[in-house]
Amino acid sequence: MDNGLYRETEGKMIAGVCAGLARRLDLNVTGMRWLVALVTIFLSGIPALAYLVLWMVLKPRRP
């Protein structure tokens, strides 16, 4: 089953997770990165663990 969620291989900064989420949700990539950073700061790093899990689980998108 394909849910259309992948890590981006182009336009990524670290692992491509935020870029992939932004593409899937049709959001601005920069805004998604800021959102993840701010939520991580305010929730004591818990979203950082989710980011790492997504990094390991999501397949890279092939152009």
Side-chain angles (χ1 to χ4, degrees):
M1 181 173 15
D2 183 17
N3 62 5
L5 186 55
Y6 296 95
R7 287 186 293 122
E8 286 294 321
T9 55
E10 297 179 10
K12 66 179 186 173
M13 288 194 95
I14 299 175
V17 174
C18 287
L21 286 172
R23 176 186 280 270
R24 176 68 172 100
L25 299 173
D26 196 29
L27 298 173
N28 180 296
V29 176
T30 304
M32 177 62 76
R33 289 176 181 141
W34 274 103
L35 178 68
V36 169
L38 290 173
V39 170
T40 300
I41 290 168
F42 288 115
L43 294 180
S44 302
I46 294 170
L49 293 174
Y51 185 94
L52 290 173
V53 169
L54 288 173
W55 187 357
M56 292 184 289
V57 172
L58 294 179
K59 296 177 185 175
R61 185 173 81 83
R62 302 289 178 213

